Amino acid sequence: MEKRLMNNIGLKILAFFVAFMLWIMVVNIDDPVTHKTFSDIPVSVINEEVLANAQQPQTYQIVDNTQAVDVTVTAKRKTLNRIKERDIIAVADIKELTLDTQIPIDVTINGFEDRYDSAQANPRNLQIKLEDEETKRFPIVPTTTGTVRDGFVLGDIQAMPEKVSIRGPKSVIAEISRVEASVSVSGLSKDAVLDSELVLYDSNNNVIDQNLLLNNLGTEGVGVSVQILNTKNIPLEFDTSSVNPAKGYEFTGITYEPQTIQISGERDAINNISSLRIPAEALDVDNIKEKTEKVIDVSEYLPDYVRLADENAGSVVVTISVEEDGTKSYDITVGSIMINNLSEELTMSYASADMVELKVRGPKNALDNLSLEKAISIDLKNYTADGTYDVPVTVKLPDECFLEKSVKVRVILSMKE
């Protein structure tokens, strides 16, 4: 019979259930007092105005990582099981500051005021460092990120307000080198005022923590006013009436790069502009005997109500060409030069893609009818090893014409792999 009882699974389950119920009854009848520790409870500081209202205003910094503490609560088990971290309030009152470094931490448990024996913070004191307080005004530098919609450019940007007063520990205020308000302009096609937040930087461009600082922006914060302008490409027109070649030379024209500029402004303003005329004073040159370059800042000649879309794109390089009587100059691309007798074991490239200038002398009627298409070549018969060489340029000319001076091009020869 004993063996039958020991092997009866039903009796075993019944015995376990009866034992569990007895344990529940004992726990409920005898609710023991015990303790439980809650971690990382934040400490709130009150009555900070005591420091601000002193004869020499001061502020404080929390040190030794005491801004969050562990709290050990002693109470009956049932009560402890119902207490949550959010119920525990840890407070440090500036009025109780001792030794200028410590504030006792008082702990209460919201909703359980008379139902626990004790609540103790560890550490028991908030460790602080006092420091003289300072208030200083800074200009707010507006900045943008992103790109506006195609066909538009960013105009003026302005912080609103333009300055801010910042109050805090003197040592932290001294670190502030720049105050920025940044906004994204991605996809914008019209003027807007965008909300932003202040970012403070030190002299090493590191962001400064603002937890210890206050400002006077209030609930409205800071905004950035963004102007969006339309754009338009317009051609340039140069007045060349002040270009005066030397005696025996003839002015033959100008070339310039870029040939167009992009302007920006309000739609109605730029729609009325079809080109930008550069006055004669910009190309006031005398007694020139050779090709001359001038760099002109065309932004100086824009109307007041428009601007360059890119403020750095106002420089235009103007090349003024003159010809000596009885001569004519030709600018030849290296790609138009025919290559003769290149070894099959070599490849060739030009050291520079610059134009080659040829100056031809001859009768005027011959120069006017002269065509150099397929008349320019180099001969590589004597260049059989890899290297860099200055090779003479050969030009087939009518009998009555000749080159003013010989011309060479620099080529690079390499063995084929």
Side-chain angles (χ1 to χ4, degrees), residues 282-298:
L283 294 178
D284 186 3
V285 290
D286 288 313
N287 203 40
I288 58 174
K289 298 180 179 180
E290 58 186 8
K291 186 178 292 184
T292 303
E293 284 189 352
K294 288 201 69 174
V295 179
I296 308 297
D297 183 2
V298 297

Side-chain angles (χ1 to χ4, degrees), residues 153 228-231 263-270 305-307:
V153 294
I228 303 298
L229 301 175
N230 293 79
T231 62
I263 60 173
S264 64
E266 299 295 341
R267 181 185 296 274
D268 292 342
I270 65 175
Y305 49 87
V306 298
R307 64 178 70 175

Side-chain angles (χ1 to χ4, degrees), residues 361-376:
R361 178 174 290 277
K364 186 176 186 307
N365 63 336
L367 295 176
D368 289 342
N369 296 316
L370 180 62
S371 172
L372 296 182
E373 185 178 358
K374 297 183 179 180
I376 306 167

Side-chain angles (χ1 to χ4, degrees), residues 132-149:
D132 289 345
E133 186 177 76
E134 184 178 25
T135 300
K136 191 173 180 181
R137 284 177 64 78
F138 296 89
I140 300 175
V141 180
T143 62
T144 62
T145 60
T147 306
V148 300
R149 186 173 296 180

